[in-house]
Amino acid sequence: MIEVSKLKKSYKLSKKQLAMIADRHARQKVKIAVNDLSFTVRPGTIFGLLGPNGAGKTTTLRCISTLLKPTDGTVRVMGIDAEEAPEKVRASIAFLTNDLKLDKHFTPLDTLRFFADLHRVPKAVTEERACALFDYFDITPFKDKKIGELSQGMMQKVAIAVSLIHDPPVIIFDEPTNGLDIITARKVTDYLKMLRDQGKTIIISTHIMTVAEKLCDEIAVILNGSLAASGTVASLLEQTGQKDLDDAFFEIYQAQNGGVS
Amino acid sequence: MSQALKSIIARELKRIFTDRRIVITLFLVPALSIGIIYSVMGYLSMNFIKDVEAHVSTYVISDAPESFKVFLTQNPDLTEGVELTYVSGETVDTYAPSIKGGSLDMFARFSDDFDTRIESVESASVYTYYNYGEDYSEASFHHFVNDVLDAYRNEILTARFENPNAIMAFKVEDLSETAETVNEDKASGKILSTIIPMLISIFLFAGAMSVVMDSIAGEKERGTLATLLVTPVKREAIAIGKMISHGIIATLSALSSIAGMLLTLGILMLFMPNELDIGVSLGYSALDIVYLIGLVIMLVGIYVGIISLLSALSKNVKEAGTYMTPVYMFIMVVSFLNMYAFNAEPIWKYAIPIYGQIVGLKEIFMYQITPVKFFVAFANAAVTWTVLVLWIRNLFNNEKVIFTSS
């Protein structure tokens, strides 16, 4: 279970960052990345954060994974307050984002074993899970190659396997299919569905409508750091009177911004 | 030690030792480059000395008195390796260009009526001319004045006074060596203490620099540090794990540099066994060795901590590198500071981080360190290290530091 309540995250901009804003009047010292955001992700569901680039999706996921401290509001993961016990929260999540990279010097197997150690997974269990994850994501033939020698897609699959090695109850994936070919992307989404069926709590962010439509049980549309709409795909279509999520999203975007920019 | 800490140390060490490029630059290059550079330098300087010694000096002496010529005939060893030409009535003007050009090493002229003036106990002079910019010329001059003329003067004095003691009054003779008043260990220690602590300090810092910068600033830049930070491992365990492994690597790298120096010594002894006598005898106790290891560990801990801190503050390796240069200069200055101080240092100096440890290393070689001084150095290192670890932990918790692009 993930409970996000009135989450707010703002940054103070440096002078350099301020100077980069062309419009002098628009220059404000504090940038609000996420504002008053609340939602709950229940076990056995895949929750999608949908929004354009810069909407605040990654910031929200970073706050849930304890890498960022909320300016205001609370985040609870499996009933644990993320600010009070960040280590406990980190022990129960898998966090995947583009900013987090694996050391290219090591092999997938080395890396998997190392992170399993950090999560205190018993050795025998590690080997068993490594085998299963490598087999599922077709990493086995490459498990002893250096990560630096692998293709971009293979690296992404290794990163997914590494993030799941401790079999956590909560999964937080930021743009999980980014940069993957259609077959691999399908494998990842199928795996996420399988994890959902096992009762895991899953939250992903995406700006790809088809991914959200096919994968997510619930969706929160985030625009400019705030929640613009939420619900199941069907309910969002109903709310907006559109036939597909693409059009529904556009409708919500227009309503929020008062027209297409 | 926690499992996570062990895993982090093991991984950091594996990261270094399985990277051939790093192993070569960190462990082999220092040993080989120092070995080769110092060997070549030592070989060249020894060759230079031998070359000067082997050189046949050319003197031109004008108006040499008969007594001098006879004296030299009676003492042929004084003119061994010297080509001597006597001339009369010449001045330096004729020979100055040759001396300047290097074809003649020295010109000397005796004052007029030298023998007569000596006999009548009047003042007499020998005028010498040489080129002090030329090594052969300078060596010739010193030989002529200190060996030849000195012996000649003594002979004149012996002739003048039946008993030369009448003018000499007394002699000063240093018999320290026969009376065993010299503490050989301490004398040797003095040689070691000027150079070894300074070298250990500089080698340790240099060894730590590249590894730590890459492991912290580099991992930040590559995004691999954030991956580590999203695990349940405590920040301080990550900081300590990295610092311990880097300390081990820096120490090994410094050992490689020291091995290079020993290699130099070995090479020079092999090629020139007779010329090389470093005159070092070691009498250090087991406790001294414990002190030495302890102080090296303290120093390496502080250095790794400082470099880790600056690396954590930097966005990337390049930025860390710019911070490192002034710190390296500072470490060098501190390392040089007490090179030539041989008195026992007051205890408060041991309370200064870095300086205290270097002073400690120096005093081990001087046989002046005491358990209390060692403990003060240890306490200062422990406090410094704790402050650095906590500071780094806070930096690892600081989102602005971890996500510099945010």
Side-chain angles (χ1 to χ4, degrees), chain B residues 231-402:
Chain B
T231 63
V233 180
K234 285 190 185 310
R235 274 32 177 166
E236 48 267 45
I238 296 173
I240 294 171
K242 280 183 174 280
M243 285 166 78
I244 290 176
S245 47
H246 298 154
I248 294 170
I249 290 158
T251 310
L252 290 177
S253 179
L255 279 178
S256 156
S257 302
I258 291 167
M261 292 180 56
L262 295 176
L263 188 74
T264 311
L265 216 56
I267 291 173
L268 291 180
M269 279 176 140
L270 196 71
F271 283 111
M272 286 165 252
N274 300 326
E275 281 81 358
L276 201 77
D277 178 14
I278 54 165
V280 171
S281 74
L282 302 174
Y284 298 107
S285 66
L287 188 63
D288 288 327
I289 305 294
V290 170
Y291 285 156
L292 179 72
I293 295 169
L295 285 166
V296 165
I297 291 172
M298 291 175 209
L299 204 55
V300 86
I302 296 175
Y303 286 171
V304 166
I306 292 172
I307 304 168
S308 301
L309 183 74
L310 291 175
S311 301
L313 284 167
S314 313
K315 285 191 187 74
N316 47 42
V317 178
K318 195 175 162 193
E319 190 181 328
T322 59
Y323 294 151
M324 233 44 86
T325 314
V327 178
Y328 195 18
M329 299 297 280
F330 172 76
I331 298 292
M332 277 187 160
V333 170
V334 176
S335 307
F336 280 115
L337 267 182
N338 58 11
M339 249 181 106
Y340 296 107
F342 296 113
N343 293 327
E345 297 280 2
I347 201 149
W348 63 266
K349 285 195 179 177
Y350 279 81
I352 308 170
I354 303 174
Y355 188 78
Q357 282 74 30
I358 298 173
V359 165
L361 286 175
K362 187 179 181 64
E363 296 213 324
I364 290 175
F365 291 107
M366 297 289 292
Y367 301 88
Q368 283 167 342
I369 194 158
T370 61
V372 177
K373 285 177 173 178
F374 180 80
F375 179 75
V376 174
F378 176 76
N380 108 34
V383 171
T384 312
W385 210 66
T386 310
V387 169
L388 287 168
V389 168
L390 292 178
W391 197 341
I392 294 164
R393 183 204 52 185
N394 286 345
L395 288 179
F396 281 173
N397 267 326
N398 187 339
E399 58 198 51
K400 278 188 194 145
V401 169
I402 298 308

Side-chain angles (χ1 to χ4, degrees), chain B residues 3-280:
Chain B
Q3 177 60 39
L5 190 59
K6 266 193 225 166
S7 301
I8 291 168
I9 295 172
R11 178 152 166 113
E12 289 289 328
L13 292 177
K14 192 173 177 184
R15 173 87 182 73
I16 299 298
F17 286 108
T18 54
D19 191 329
R20 204 183 308 150
R21 192 174 47 88
I22 298 179
V23 169
I24 290 172
T25 52
L26 216 53
F27 305 118
L28 284 179
V29 171
L32 287 178
S33 58
I34 289 174
I36 292 168
I37 292 169
Y38 283 105
S39 297
V40 170
M41 276 168 64
Y43 184 76
L44 290 180
S45 63
M46 280 187 186
N47 263 359
F48 167 73
I49 295 166
K50 278 164 91 177
D51 182 49
V52 171
E53 280 171 1
H55 170 71
V56 175
S57 305
T58 48
Y59 299 178
V60 170
I61 299 174
S62 180
D63 304 325
E66 205 51 38
S67 66
F68 181 72
K69 288 180 185 169
V70 173
F71 167 74
L72 284 189
T73 323
Q74 286 166 350
N75 297 284
D77 54 316
L78 284 175
T79 49
E80 212 173 279
V82 176
E83 217 176 87
L84 197 63
T85 311
Y86 292 118
V87 293
S88 56
E90 299 271 16
T91 63
V92 72
D93 298 342
T94 319
Y95 299 98
S98 313
I99 296 176
K100 207 171 177 180
S103 57
L104 179 66
D105 291 326
M106 200 205 66
F107 175 78
R109 185 170 65 78
F110 282 77
S111 56
D112 295 338
D113 306 324
F114 190 89
D115 272 347
T116 323
R117 296 177 81 89
I118 292 291
E119 265 171 43
S120 52
V121 198
E122 282 176 51
S123 109
S125 298
V126 181
Y127 307 100
T128 58
Y129 305 88
Y130 79 106
N131 177 1
Y132 52 75
E134 190 81 43
D135 296 315
Y136 292 149
S137 181
E138 195 174 13
S140 301
F141 164 77
H142 286 301
H143 173 64
F144 183 69
V145 173
N146 298 335
D147 301 331
V148 179
L149 289 184
D150 203 45
Y152 178 51
R153 183 191 284 118
N154 276 344
E155 197 186 72
I156 292 170
L157 287 172
T158 314
R160 196 174 282 177
F161 302 95
E162 265 177 36
N163 181 359
N165 290 341
I167 190 161
M168 210 184 290
F170 62 83
K171 281 196 283 188
V172 177
E173 286 187 59
D174 179 13
L175 300 175
S176 316
E177 285 201 13
T178 54
E180 290 188 9
T181 52
V182 179
N183 180 344
E184 291 271 335
D185 287 341
K186 203 162 177 174
S188 303
K190 209 167 166 179
I191 301 170
L192 293 178
S193 71
T194 43
I195 190 137
I196 301 283
M198 182 265 292
L199 286 180
I200 288 179
S201 162
I202 291 172
F203 287 157
L204 281 178
F205 194 86
M209 209 161 51
S210 59
V211 185
V212 179
M213 282 200 305
D214 184 73
S215 175
I216 295 182
E219 286 217 26
K220 257 178 84 173
E221 192 178 352
R222 294 190 291 271
T224 50
L225 187 64
T227 315
L228 206 56
L229 295 176
V230 85
T231 63
V233 180
K234 285 190 185 310
R235 274 32 177 166
E236 48 267 45
I238 296 173
I240 294 171
K242 280 183 174 280
M243 285 166 78
I244 290 176
S245 47
H246 298 154
I248 294 170
I249 290 158
T251 310
L252 290 177
S253 179
L255 279 178
S256 156
S257 302
I258 291 167
M261 292 180 56
L262 295 176
L263 188 74
T264 311
L265 216 56
I267 291 173
L268 291 180
M269 279 176 140
L270 196 71
F271 283 111
M272 286 165 252
N274 300 326
E275 281 81 358
L276 201 77
D277 178 14
I278 54 165
V280 171

